[in-house]
Amino acid sequence: MLNSWKDELEGFMASARERTPTELINGIRDIGVAMGHEAGEALLDSHPELFAYRPMLTRAFIEMVHAQDVAEIRQMLELKHPTSFGQIAAEETTIGVMSSKDAYKRLDEVFEHVDFSRCTRAVMVGCGGRPFTMFRICDQTPVPEIVGLDIVPEAVETANILAAKLGYVRMRAEFRNGRDYDYRGAQLVYIASMVSPKAAVVSRVADTAPPDLQLVLWEPYSLARLWSERAEETLDPRLEVVGRTRVSRNMTRDVFVRFRPGAAGRGSAC
């Protein structure tokens, strides 16, 4: 059965250059859903040569997200009477794999696992220009400092403009690389799915974060591993997985990580 799915995937990829980024990513997503998440995992584990598609698919995914960012951010900035991101987020999209509203609501399970009650600083690595995770944390918690990091200057600028437009005074984006950032004082770190090299960022978090760290990894599952790195399998030995959400239709899930007892880095809470 796996060989027939492999044939279907390779047949689809044979016409990849004739498809838009959205058609390409959504088409693979649909194949992954049809075969089932566990079958997708088994297919990639038994046929690692399929990862040769990753460079092409990573570029396509990034192009798709950028196009969605440009379209939806423009609409938000044109609003005369802006309100919270959750209220104005687009409910449908013809560009990406999920709408801004779905991306915002996707975090429901995260709030079932993360304790925000004593969190004074949250850091989002790979925030992007449409930082829905940061907006959701700001909307639902009293965390006084929410910092987004991104290595794309335009994304940082746009995220800050959008936050100011919508009145999110507790959050800001910085042009910083997660591999070099000092996570001291950050009780929560959330690492986005497209961060790369993700394992190196996780190790930097382990080097500098305080003992009470709560780390959340937005991880690919099944065929989404063809355009996104997974850090869980090569997790820094000082860390351990303590929970996971369900795998979504978009073949991702959140993985919750903490320090192993006695293994915390050198960071300290502020």
Side-chain angles (χ1 to χ4, degrees):
M1 187 64 181
L2 286 181
N3 285 336
S4 64
W5 287 117
K6 177 175 179 289
D7 292 342
E8 181 168 345
L9 177 61
E10 290 178 328
F12 180 83
M13 288 301 300
S15 59
R17 299 190 184 281
E18 302 170 9
R19 304 177 187 274
T20 67
T22 297
E23 291 170 343
L24 185 57
I25 297 299
N26 280 342
I28 295 174
R29 188 269 311 272
D30 291 344
I31 293 173
V33 170
M35 69 189 299
H37 299 315
E38 299 308 320
E41 284 283 297
L43 175 64
L44 296 183
D45 289 343
S46 58
H47 293 283
E49 68 274 14
L50 293 173
F51 285 104
Y53 293 126
R54 179 179 276 177
M56 175 197 300
L57 293 175
T58 298
R59 288 193 298 271
F61 192 91
I62 291 172
E63 289 176 16
M64 178 187 70
V65 171
H66 176 70
Q68 185 176 6
D69 283 349
V70 169
E72 296 191 9
I73 290 169
R74 182 188 301 117
Q75 293 177 348
M76 293 178 193
L77 292 178
E78 290 174 350
L79 291 172
K80 300 300 183 183
H81 303 287
T83 180
S84 73
F85 182 87
Q87 292 177 308
I88 65 172
E91 295 190 5
E92 298 180 355
T93 181
T94 59
I95 303 173
V97 294
M98 60 179 168
S99 69
S100 285
K101 180 74 76 174
D102 288 340
Y104 184 87
K105 294 172 65 176
R106 186 196 70 80
L107 296 159
D108 287 351
E109 281 193 83
V110 171
F111 286 85
E112 298 173 6
H113 288 80
V114 175
D115 178 10
F116 289 93
S117 63
R118 292 181 295 174
C119 182
T120 59
R121 182 183 299 163
V123 178
M124 169 78 188
V125 185
C127 65
R130 186 171 41 107
F132 48 83
T133 300
M134 296 171 65
F135 287 131
R136 180 66 186 272
I137 293 172
C138 205
D139 283 341
Q140 196 162 332
T141 77
V143 176
E145 185 180 15
I146 305 167
V147 183
L149 312 179
D150 209 289
I151 60 172
V152 179
E154 294 82 0
V156 172
E157 179 182 11
T158 303
N160 284 326
I161 291 173
L162 191 57
K165 172 79 173 181
L166 301 179
Y168 284 85
V169 298
R170 291 184 285 127
M171 59 176 274
R172 70 179 186 276
E174 299 181 0
F175 179 50
R176 299 288 297 274
N177 192 317
R179 286 181 294 176
D180 307 320
Y181 191 76
D182 190 338
Y183 297 90
R184 191 175 314 181
Q187 288 78 34
L188 171 67
V189 177
Y190 189 104
I191 301 180
S193 61
M194 294 305 292
V195 168
S196 179
K198 191 182 288 184
V201 174
V202 170
S203 290
R204 176 64 178 175
V205 173
D207 285 342
T208 61
D212 58 349
L213 168 74
Q214 298 177 88
L215 174 62
V216 185
L217 307 175
W218 189 5
E219 295 275 74
Y221 203 77
S222 183
L223 300 189
R225 292 162 59 195
L226 291 176
W227 55 78
S228 179
E229 297 176 15
R230 188 157 71 190
E232 181 182 357
E233 294 169 343
T234 56
L235 194 65
D236 188 290
R238 292 167 289 183
L239 303 169
E240 62 181 352
V241 173
V242 295
R244 300 177 180 87
T245 62
R246 294 165 294 179
V247 179
S248 72
R249 175 176 170 79
N250 295 312
M251 302 182 298
T252 63
R253 64 181 178 184
D254 290 293
V255 176
F256 304 95
V257 177
R258 298 203 182 197
F259 279 113
R260 295 181 184 276
R266 62 177 177 83
S268 61
C270 294

